[in-house]
């Protein structure tokens, strides 16, 4: 039998319905005793909750004092905490998979921001349909979304304002801060229809927004720029992160966009993260950067990360960006120019050009704050490495350098060796080097490793993966392992079993490794032997990737003993693509004793491995 509802729950239900209908009941509700009020708050759908919170008869919502007796008008009762809890519950109800990733102190704001994003996504989908013609703001929001926020009873009046996107933007635009994605793909699809005003009215739609972060996709026509610039200048005081993804931009547009970030109220921009990725600039061979961009790059001390990844950039553009940053002694911390084609961009940097201060790190024009430089995948060759060696002099605080996927070859890495010597002698914070897939040979890498090993505290992390080095490097690698290196990536370097044997022999004492990637090295059973020596001697080791090493089934027992002898920190051991007997290994329940360790196998025999490990 159904349990009879309590009187209280019936009353609360009635109050809830009344709150939908009008404002009459509000003043009475605020007079409810605290405990009832609190129950009510936790039961309300978004809409009446919003109404209740907004109309609270006192301003000091943060006050946590309670006054629990029933009477008195407009008393100070702090209920902000409960409102926040209510908003968090509602958020969790609709976006359970997101709730753990969000760090916020304001669930009220998060809730409406997520709601608005949902409306925008839905509208974008509708606008994409070929049959769509009209204004984006007029698009009807679906009943599901309306129900979610509590418009249940009123849906029959679907001509009301609140069924339109524009209503939601106006009403809740003020809560949009982060993460709202404006996907202009839809207007790309419909831009040929003259009736469509989008995105021109966008700035009207989001009039009260205070964006701190904007991601803009698919801006591909000059027509989009006007509305966008208005939106940008409206938000220039709050905006700190601006991203363009999959856009096509002319210099004139770039000029307008950058200028709109500077207004009378905001004479220097506040952008911290500026990112233009997978985007093409229409004029390919500019002789100078748009003035607005120069001023964005050189004015304001706020710019901290700059990303021009995957933009089909040529050397000139990259050179001008780099010179501008250097000339302005920018405070930039992260520069990502990866996946372009900028061969020759540093040709001005050579022995002659840095003769005035040949080996002194960081004199003259410089990028003193730069910590991360990513120039992977840029078709850079050994001459570029020479330029880089002298350019690095201007970055005394560099910590991370990624030049992977560039054919710099042995000569290239040799050119960089003097830089490493200078850096370590000057105790610079340089700590991570990625030279994956750089057409390096054993001799170049042996010189690199010898140089690095000669310092007391060399690197934290090194990747020389995907260079065909062969077993010759193993002995030197072994020596390098006993420096304080924490993460080493030697995936796909052609070690083979003899390489693993040499590596095994070179491990005689404890190593500081946290992670090692030895995948795709055709090590066979020698891989298992190596691991059985390494695991007990690497107390801090957390992850090991030993995929695709042709380990035969006889390796299973060796792996068992290796795992039993392993220290307790190991969390991940990937053995995919080897011919191991997972039953034997897993059968030893002891291995799982601390519950932290994940072992990954796959049934694929190595021969079917879905990769090409040939040099
Ligand atoms: C800006 O970039 C920094 C460094 O990459 C990052 O930690 C931060 O979360 C970014 N901020 C935004 C709003 O994207
Ligand atoms: C730059 O953008 C690319 C593409 O979106 C991304 O993969 C990369 O992580 C970004 N770099 C930084 C430093 O945030
Ligand atoms: C890269 O740039 C060079 C000139 O700097 C040009 O010759 C080459 O065609 C470009 N490669 C690609 C893939 O665009
Ligand atoms: C070195 O750089 C200067 C400009 O910084 C340039 O004039 C000179 O030609 C360069 N020398 C070589 C050998 O590339
Ligand atoms: C690297 O070694 C291979 C064979 O070992 C050789 O054919 C190639 O020329 C070498 N490359 C360089 C740049 O030394
Ligand atoms: C190791 O290098 C491979 C190949 O370049 C790459 O896919 C992987 O992400 C790298 N792993 C680490 C931990 O650096
Ligand atoms: C090791 O490298 C392989 C490819 O070379 C990559 O797929 C894997 O993610 C890497 N493992 C780790 C833990 O980085």
């Amino acid at each position: 039998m159904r349990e009879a509802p309590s009187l209280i729950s019936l009353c609360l239900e009635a109050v809830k319905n009344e709150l939908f209908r009008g404002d009459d009941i509000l003043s009475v509700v605020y007079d409810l005793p605290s405990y009832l009020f609190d129950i009510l708050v936790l039961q309300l759908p978004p809409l009446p909750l919003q109404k209740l919170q907004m109309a609270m008869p006192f301003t000091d919502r943060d006050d946590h004092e309670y006054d629990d007796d029933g009477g008195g008008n407009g008393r100070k009762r702090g209920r902000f905490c409960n409102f926040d809890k209510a908003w968090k519950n509602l958020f969790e109800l609709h976006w359970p998979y997101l709730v753990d990733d969000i760090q916020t102190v304001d669930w009220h704001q998060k809730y409406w921001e997520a709601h608005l994003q949902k409306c925008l996504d839905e509208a974008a989908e509708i606008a994409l349909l070929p049959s769509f013609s009209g204004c984006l703001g007029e698009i009807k929001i679906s009943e599901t979304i309306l129900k979610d926020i509590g418009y249940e009873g009123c849906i029959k009046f679907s001509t009301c304002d609140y069924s339109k996107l524009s209503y939601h933007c106006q009403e809740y635009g003020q809560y949009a801060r982060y993460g709202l994605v404006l996907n202009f793909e839809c207007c790309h699809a419909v831009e040929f229809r003259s009736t469509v005003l989008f995105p021109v009215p966008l700035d009207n739609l989001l009039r009260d927004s205070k964006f701190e972060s904007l991601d803009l996709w698919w801006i591909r026509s000059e027509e989009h720029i006007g509305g966008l610039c208005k939106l940008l200048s409206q938000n220039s005081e709050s905006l700190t992160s601006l991203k363009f993804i999959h856009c096509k931009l002319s210099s004139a547009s770039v000029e307008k966009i950058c200028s709109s970030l500077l207004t009378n109220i905001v004479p220097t921009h506040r952008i911290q993260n500026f990112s233009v990725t997978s985007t093409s600039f229409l004029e390919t061979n500019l002789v100078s950067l748009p003035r607005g961009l120069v001023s964005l790059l050189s004015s304001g001390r706020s710019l901290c990360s700059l990303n021009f990844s995957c933009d089909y950039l040529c050397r000139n553009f990259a050179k001008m960006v780099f010179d501008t940053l250097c000339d302005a002694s920018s405070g930039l911390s992260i520069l990502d120019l990866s996946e372009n084609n900028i061969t020759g961009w540093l040709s001005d940097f050579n022995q002659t050009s840095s003769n005035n201060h040949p080996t002194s790190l960081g004199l003259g024009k410089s990028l003193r704050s730069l910590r991360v430089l990513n120039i992977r995948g840029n078709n850079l060759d050994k001459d570029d490495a020479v330029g880089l060696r002298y350019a690095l002099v201007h970055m005394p605080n560099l910590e991370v350098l990624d030049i992977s996927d560039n054919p710099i070859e042995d000569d290239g890495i040799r050119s960089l060796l003097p830089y490493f010597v200078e850096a370590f002698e000057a105790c610079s914070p340089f700590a991570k080097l990625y030279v994956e897939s750089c057409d390096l040979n054993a001799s170049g890498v042996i010189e690199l490793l010898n140089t690095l090993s000669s310092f007391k505290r060399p690197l934290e992390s090194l990747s020389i993966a995907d260079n065909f080095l062969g077993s010759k490097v193993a002995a030197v690698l072994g020596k390098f392992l006993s420096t304080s290196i924490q993460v080493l990536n030697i995936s796909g370097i052609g070690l083979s079993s003899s390489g693993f044997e040499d590596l095994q022999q070179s491990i005689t004492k404890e190593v500081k490794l946290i992670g090692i990637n030895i995948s795709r090295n055709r090590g066979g059973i020698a891989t298992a032997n190596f691991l059985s020596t390494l695991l007990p001697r690497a107390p801090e080791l957390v992850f090991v990737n030993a995929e695709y090493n042709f380990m035969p089934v006889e390796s299973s027992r060796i792996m068992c003993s290796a795992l039993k002898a392993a220290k307790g920190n190991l969390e991940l051991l990937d053995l995919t693509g080897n011919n191991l007997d997972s039953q034997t290994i897993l059968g030893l329940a002891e291995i799982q004793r601390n519950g932290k360790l994940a072992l990954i196998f796959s049934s694929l025999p190595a021969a079917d491995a879905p990769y090409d490990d040939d040099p």
Side-chain angles (χ1 to χ4, degrees):
M1 213 179 77
R2 253 186 72 195
E3 213 180 302
S6 69
L7 190 56
I8 286 188
S9 67
L10 282 178
C11 291
L12 286 175
E13 196 58 33
V15 171
K16 209 159 91 180
N17 290 335
E18 199 55 40
L19 273 173
F20 269 115
R21 246 165 266 149
D23 299 342
D24 301 349
I25 198 172
L26 276 174
S27 58
V28 189
V29 169
Y30 295 124
D31 282 339
L32 284 174
S34 280
Y35 77 97
L36 281 180
F37 186 87
D38 291 345
I39 298 173
L40 179 71
V41 162
L42 290 176
Q43 287 192 358
L44 289 177
L47 221 46
L49 184 65
Q50 174 80 358
K51 201 189 247 181
L52 198 62
Q53 183 168 358
M54 289 301 103
M56 284 290 268
F58 39 82
T59 48
D60 194 2
R61 293 210 184 99
D62 284 297
D63 198 311
H64 289 251
E65 276 170 47
Y66 273 71
D67 174 3
D68 263 326
D69 75 322
N73 252 333
R75 282 159 308 118
K76 247 183 159 191
R77 278 194 309 204
R79 272 140 172 184
F80 189 72
C81 282
N82 245 1
F83 274 119
D84 200 50
K85 193 166 163 217
W87 287 114
K88 186 178 182 201
N89 290 348
L90 288 169
F91 188 96
E92 201 162 9
L93 189 69
H94 294 300
W95 298 281
Y97 45 92
L98 286 182
V99 80
D100 286 340
D101 295 339
I102 289 182
Q103 289 168 341
T104 185
V105 285
D106 192 354
W107 287 100
H108 181 207
Q109 177 260 326
K110 276 288 163 208
Y111 179 87
W112 289 116
E113 183 176 75
H115 162 74
L116 196 54
Q117 180 69 61
K118 214 167 163 185
C119 294
L120 283 174
D121 287 350
E122 199 177 84
E125 259 176 49
I126 293 172
L128 257 179
L129 298 175
S131 59
F132 176 76
S133 70
C135 180
L136 195 88
E138 298 289 315
I139 288 180
K140 295 256 183 294
I141 298 304
S142 71
E143 292 199 1
T144 327
I145 290 189
L146 292 178
K147 264 190 191 153
D148 281 349
I149 63 170
Y151 270 120
E152 201 116 24
C154 335
I155 284 170
K156 49 183 173 293
F157 312 107
S158 61
T159 50
C160 306
D161 266 355
Y162 56 71
S163 65
K164 292 182 194 156
L165 175 66
S166 57
Y167 173 84
H168 293 260
C169 289
Q170 274 152 18
E171 208 58 18
Y172 308 118
Q174 55 175 313
Y175 298 108
R177 296 277 182 285
Y178 288 105
L180 209 59
V181 176
L182 300 176
N183 193 335
F184 282 69
E185 187 177 16
C186 55
C187 50
H188 182 59
V190 295
E191 71 188 327
F192 304 110
R193 258 178 272 266
S194 54
T195 48
V196 176
L197 294 170
F198 184 70
V200 181
L202 195 67
D203 52 310
N204 293 328
L205 287 181
L206 297 167
R207 210 168 25 213
D208 296 324
S209 60
K210 280 209 170 50
F211 288 111
E212 289 171 24
S213 152
L214 269 178
D215 291 2
L216 301 151
W217 293 70
W218 297 98
I219 296 179
R220 300 190 145 209
S221 117
E222 293 295 318
E223 288 161 46
H224 300 159
I225 302 295
L228 172 65
C229 287
K230 255 174 136 183
L231 185 70
L232 291 179
S233 50
Q234 254 174 37
N235 288 280
S236 57
E237 278 179 78
S238 55
L239 208 55
T240 59
S241 166
L242 185 57
K243 293 188 182 152
F244 294 86
I245 304 128
H246 285 296
C247 300
K248 269 192 188 143
L249 300 172
S250 67
S251 322
S253 316
V254 173
E255 180 64 42
K256 284 184 200 146
I257 289 168
C258 294
S259 312
S260 65
L261 293 168
L262 304 173
T263 62
N264 291 337
I265 317 162
V266 194
T268 53
H269 71 88
R270 299 175 183 187
I271 301 291
Q272 289 166 15
N273 299 359
F274 186 65
S275 167
V276 183
T277 59
S278 306
T279 287
S280 53
F281 293 92
L282 291 181
E283 297 87 348
T284 42
N285 236 333
L286 289 177
V287 275
S288 61
L289 293 179
R291 269 205 347 263
L293 183 58
V294 171
S295 98
L296 183 87
L297 297 181
S298 48
S299 79
R301 304 310 298 164
S302 56
L303 195 63
C304 136
S305 120
L306 183 63
N307 194 345
F308 282 117
S309 175
C310 219
D311 289 342
Y312 318 93
L313 294 186
C314 56
R315 53 178 283 180
N316 254 359
F317 195 101
K319 179 174 151 26
M320 290 187 291
V321 167
F322 192 79
D323 288 348
T324 306
L325 292 169
C326 263
D327 287 346
S329 295
S330 161
L332 194 70
S333 162
I334 300 174
L335 177 59
D336 191 336
L337 292 170
S338 59
E339 311 298 339
N340 291 295
N341 180 15
I342 60 174
T343 327
W345 69 305
L346 293 176
S347 56
D348 285 358
F349 288 85
N350 56 35
Q351 185 72 56
T352 332
S353 69
S354 41
N355 248 352
N356 303 334
H357 37 86
T359 57
S360 30
L361 284 171
L363 285 186
K365 290 175 180 177
S366 76
L367 285 172
R368 291 203 69 83
S369 318
L370 197 69
R371 290 188 304 103
V372 180
L373 178 62
N374 185 349
I375 44 176
R376 61 183 300 150
N378 265 304
N379 208 12
L380 303 177
D381 60 22
K382 55 179 196 278
D383 295 331
D384 294 303
V386 176
L388 182 62
R389 179 254 180 283
Y390 292 107
L392 285 170
V393 172
H394 301 271
M395 308 168 204
N397 288 304
L398 196 71
E399 291 168 28
V400 184
L401 174 62
D402 191 342
I403 45 173
S404 302
D405 278 323
N406 288 298
I408 61 167
E409 301 182 343
D410 282 359
D411 282 349
I413 203 73
R414 280 192 194 104
S415 309
L416 291 175
L417 295 181
Y419 163 74
F420 299 132
V421 174
E422 282 161 28
F424 291 117
E425 279 175 353
C427 291
S428 99
F430 190 72
K432 297 181 183 174
L433 174 65
Y434 303 97
V435 283
E436 289 161 22
S437 194
C438 282
D439 291 356
L440 303 180
N441 271 7
S443 60
V445 170
I446 287 172
E447 282 176 54
L448 171 69
L449 292 172
N450 277 332
T451 305
L452 294 175
S453 304
S454 64
F455 296 102
K456 224 195 295 148
R457 193 203 57 83
L459 293 178
E460 266 168 39
S461 181
L462 172 69
S463 178
I464 49 174
D466 290 329
N467 293 290
F468 187 74
L469 308 174
S471 56
K472 291 188 286 294
V473 291
V476 185
L477 255 184
K479 193 170 112 201
F480 182 67
L481 270 183
S482 52
T483 68
S484 54
I485 185 80
Q486 293 172 3
V487 179
L488 179 64
N489 192 343
I490 49 174
S491 166
I493 61 167
L495 270 186
S496 76
S497 25
S498 62
F500 276 108
E501 279 158 20
D502 291 349
L503 211 48
Q504 182 187 3
Q505 267 159 27
S506 64
I507 298 179
T508 49
K509 47 181 192 185
E510 272 199 0
V511 298
K512 295 242 170 2
L513 273 183
I514 292 175
I516 187 166
N517 194 333
I518 53 172
S519 63
R520 302 182 300 140
N521 271 305
R522 299 171 178 256
I525 199 165
T527 317
N529 287 328
F530 165 69
L531 287 174
S532 70
T533 305
L534 177 69
L535 296 190
R537 286 176 185 76
E540 280 142 62
L541 195 62
V542 176
F543 75 87
V544 175
N545 187 320
E547 292 172 297
Y548 304 109
N549 264 303
F550 294 153
M551 288 160 86
V553 70
E554 305 86 84
S555 315
S556 311
R557 297 225 148 259
I558 305 174
M559 283 313 301
C560 280
S561 358
L563 281 167
K564 276 201 261 177
K567 305 289 184 203
N569 281 321
L570 194 61
E571 282 175 25
L572 184 71
L573 174 57
D574 195 335
L575 296 167
T576 302
N578 291 292
N579 195 13
L580 295 170
D581 177 2
S582 53
Q583 296 311 324
T584 307
I585 298 182
L586 292 172
L588 283 171
E590 265 181 287
I591 288 171
Q592 309 281 332
R593 76 203 137 178
N594 62 9
K596 254 192 340 190
L597 176 61
L599 286 175
I600 303 172
F601 299 97
S602 83
S603 48
L604 274 182
D608 295 347
Y611 71 97
D612 174 14
D613 79 339
D614 287 333

